Amino acid sequence: MGKPNLNQNMQKARIAALKEKSNFNPRGHLYANKKKSQDAAEPEVKLEDAPEIVEDVKAEEVVVEKAAPVKQETTQEIYDSISDLSTKYRESNSYSDKKAVEEYLDGHDMEFYEQAYVPLSEVKQKVARMVFSGGIEKPLNWERNKFSSNYRQIANFPYKFPPCNPDDYDLSHSSVWQVFKQAPEFAALEGTFKEALAKRGVTKEMLPELNIYDFSDILYEKCKDPKNMTFAKMFEGAKQKNTKRFIEENREEFELKLLAIPNIDRNYVKDLIYNMETFGNTDMSRFKNPKTGKPYENQPVIDVHHIINIKDAGQFEAMGESFLNVNNYENMCYMERTAHEACHLTDRPLFVSKRDPVTGKREIKTIQRARPKLGIKCFLGFSKNLIIEAKGKVIDNIRKLSNAQEGKKEFNHKPAMEMA
Amino acid sequence: MKELMRLIYNDENIGKGAPVDANKLALANVELKSKGFCTIPENFAGMLKIFNGVSSYGNRIFGVNPQSNFFDDLVKYNERANMEDKAENLILGADEFDYLVYNNQKSKYQLIDKEDYEIKDESADLADAVARILKI
């Protein structure tokens, strides 16, 4: 093979330009072809119809020949760059370093933002987490120290407290139940709550005093499963439910994007989709490669990412919405793990007060975060070919959240500093 | 601890890494020490000799140089996380919201908020802490 002649070079450049104009996508070619066939209104670009392109190619020829080959960054390199830039910004707090983070993320389909922190009560944070995971966690030592004084007696000496009658309780007297019942999953379990209280020997007079840790223990004792040690599954969590919906709505596109990833194992893709459809689970660690009988290796790990973090769910309340919207489908993004972790590298709370020496707790003033650009539903890697966009109403809802974060009119909150 | 190991072993929904050998563990400890971290607590190391990495619904217990990328490497993860007071705290696992951390000053396992490092709970019992992270 000799050196290609000028005509061959020109021909290659023309084809490249045409492909560029017709959105040809070499890594995601399966998806690109599918998209083209779906979109009949978009005419296919032909060489003879586009003399201006040929001119463009001629004009750019010299540049093309002189340009140094562009090395594509690997996911790990992008992760390291985000890590370096965000560390630099963290240390300097300078405008130029902030700009550098913003620009780098912007070039990698992510965005960086800062906003005032809107606190969410501990009860609400806990309930939001329970709705996400679909169950109750058993309080361990520190949380047991937070039991209300009367309930502590029951927890320490259960044999002294005989069961009560479930029909005696009026749950409206409990402020914690008022939070629980905002979640339809828990509201449907009112009878279970009453039975749990009765079983534990909680008198109706104690009900108003019970806190979230008491309730966690009471519900855990009622619903615990001998197969588990510290977690009682009560319903299908938002994590599973949303994953099933995602794969139902995006199965074909998700599959094609995954198959476009170099070195992807087709069996892995098949198993992953099965796991998501059947169990609402993206965790593939238990699956074995049928060829080797061993766990899959070097395949993309998919995580479920809250676009707005549960800790920031106070923003929904500031918009006049339920804090539980944090677990809605539109607030979820399905992300490849390294990209997901890169996204969290910039997370930083800025504090008002010093750390409490006992609990380690500090009051947060402002938060800094990164997220995939709004409208992205699935982020399989740092490439346009590996992104699935959200559809319809989902985008509208996400835009609303974005407006809220930018402090537009429907978002009416006071920064934590003012409240402190 | 035996009960936890039995539960993990019998649960088909949990991913389990193949056992790590003593050499790899020793090497990991040398590496951790050289990077200013505390070493792997003994009972956790005992667990890794049975399951080198555990994962359930994305909630993970890390392993040492695990055979699959579905299990995180404890040394690499700690390096990346660059947590405050790293000489005292070693991250052993994580769920969506919290880290499972071994505090070698107190010889306790702690559940610590990933973002503001608030201590959520603490236990001397590894089994309870691991079960809490894995949601089992």
Side-chain angles (χ1 to χ4, degrees), chain A residues 151-343:
Chain A
Y151 182 70
R152 189 172 298 132
Q153 294 298 313
I154 294 179
N156 291 341
F157 310 103
Y159 54 88
K160 288 187 181 173
F161 295 84
C164 303
N165 183 355
D167 297 332
D168 288 347
Y169 301 107
D170 178 358
L171 293 183
S172 66
H173 293 151
S174 162
S175 59
V176 177
W177 167 251
Q178 302 303 325
V179 177
F180 269 117
K181 77 169 189 184
Q182 289 179 46
E185 295 88 346
F186 281 119
L189 295 172
E190 186 173 349
T192 307
F193 272 68
K194 288 181 177 177
E195 285 167 20
L197 290 162
K199 185 184 168 196
R200 204 75 169 126
V202 176
T203 62
K204 62 181 178 182
E205 291 77 20
M206 285 170 63
L207 198 54
E209 292 164 24
L210 295 180
N211 64 32
I212 185 66
Y213 301 101
D214 302 334
F215 265 102
S216 296
D217 195 56
I218 292 163
L219 288 167
Y220 177 78
E221 287 301 322
K222 162 76 179 159
C223 304
K224 66 185 175 188
D225 178 342
K227 284 187 203 155
N228 288 349
M229 275 178 73
T230 62
F231 185 73
K233 185 90 178 163
M234 296 181 79
F235 46 81
E236 186 176 58
K239 190 177 186 180
Q240 284 175 272
K241 220 185 277 180
N242 289 328
T243 301
K244 286 181 181 175
R245 178 172 163 191
F246 168 77
I247 200 67
E248 190 187 330
E249 292 182 2
N250 299 279
R251 185 197 158 123
E252 205 174 337
E253 197 175 346
F254 184 68
E255 185 174 13
L256 289 169
K257 300 267 180 192
L258 280 171
L259 289 172
I261 295 174
N263 303 322
I264 194 81
D265 185 326
R266 282 179 171 272
N267 287 316
Y268 175 75
V269 175
K270 201 175 131 197
D271 283 347
L272 172 62
I273 290 171
Y274 165 78
N275 198 21
M276 290 170 80
E277 277 178 336
T278 314
F279 305 105
N281 191 0
T282 58
D283 188 330
M284 293 295 291
S285 59
R286 70 195 166 94
F287 280 78
K288 299 247 168 30
N289 185 336
K291 285 179 198 160
T292 63
K294 290 180 181 172
Y296 285 104
E297 283 179 54
N298 302 318
Q299 298 299 306
V301 181
I302 310 297
D303 283 341
V304 184
H305 171 66
H306 276 97
I307 298 170
I308 290 192
N309 194 312
I310 282 191
K311 274 184 108 65
D312 305 342
Q315 286 176 40
F316 288 92
E317 291 196 319
M319 282 194 288
E321 292 185 9
S322 166
F323 69 98
L324 289 164
N325 287 0
V326 76
N327 287 321
N328 282 0
Y329 177 69
E330 53 264 33
N331 193 39
M332 302 289 145
C333 182
Y334 292 83
M335 297 188 77
E336 185 277 326
R337 182 166 288 168
T338 309
H340 183 210
E341 287 179 349
C343 188

Side-chain angles (χ1 to χ4, degrees), chain A residues 13-24:
Chain A
R14 281 182 194 126
I15 292 166
L18 283 170
K19 283 172 178 174
E20 179 71 26
K21 290 229 168 187
S22 60
N23 283 329
F24 180 82

Side-chain angles (χ1 to χ4, degrees), chain A residues 66-221:
Chain A
K66 280 187 178 173
V70 179
K71 186 182 167 283
Q72 215 168 9
E73 290 174 293
T74 64
T75 304
Q76 189 56 49
E77 284 167 348
I78 295 169
Y79 178 98
D80 292 341
S81 297
I82 297 173
S83 176
D84 292 345
L85 289 168
S86 53
T87 304
K88 203 173 165 206
Y89 174 44
R90 198 164 293 188
E91 284 165 0
S92 73
N93 269 327
S94 74
Y95 179 75
S96 59
D97 287 337
K98 180 185 172 186
K99 266 290 185 226
V101 175
E102 277 175 354
E103 280 169 17
Y104 189 82
L105 288 174
D106 185 57
H108 292 85
D109 298 303
M110 285 189 182
E111 55 194 28
F112 178 72
Y113 64 96
E114 292 180 342
Q115 64 181 51
Y117 176 67
V118 185
L120 186 71
S121 72
E122 199 167 5
V123 181
K124 288 179 177 174
Q125 276 192 44
K126 277 202 152 288
V127 171
R129 286 175 59 152
M130 290 171 190
V131 171
F132 185 64
S133 58
I136 300 276
E137 288 170 341
K138 177 186 173 184
L140 300 182
N141 292 348
W142 279 35
E143 290 183 341
R144 296 183 86 78
N145 291 337
K146 293 179 186 171
F147 286 159
S148 61
S149 54
N150 282 333
Y151 182 70
R152 189 172 298 132
Q153 294 298 313
I154 294 179
N156 291 341
F157 310 103
Y159 54 88
K160 288 187 181 173
F161 295 84
C164 303
N165 183 355
D167 297 332
D168 288 347
Y169 301 107
D170 178 358
L171 293 183
S172 66
H173 293 151
S174 162
S175 59
V176 177
W177 167 251
Q178 302 303 325
V179 177
F180 269 117
K181 77 169 189 184
Q182 289 179 46
E185 295 88 346
F186 281 119
L189 295 172
E190 186 173 349
T192 307
F193 272 68
K194 288 181 177 177
E195 285 167 20
L197 290 162
K199 185 184 168 196
R200 204 75 169 126
V202 176
T203 62
K204 62 181 178 182
E205 291 77 20
M206 285 170 63
L207 198 54
E209 292 164 24
L210 295 180
N211 64 32
I212 185 66
Y213 301 101
D214 302 334
F215 265 102
S216 296
D217 195 56
I218 292 163
L219 288 167
Y220 177 78
E221 287 301 322

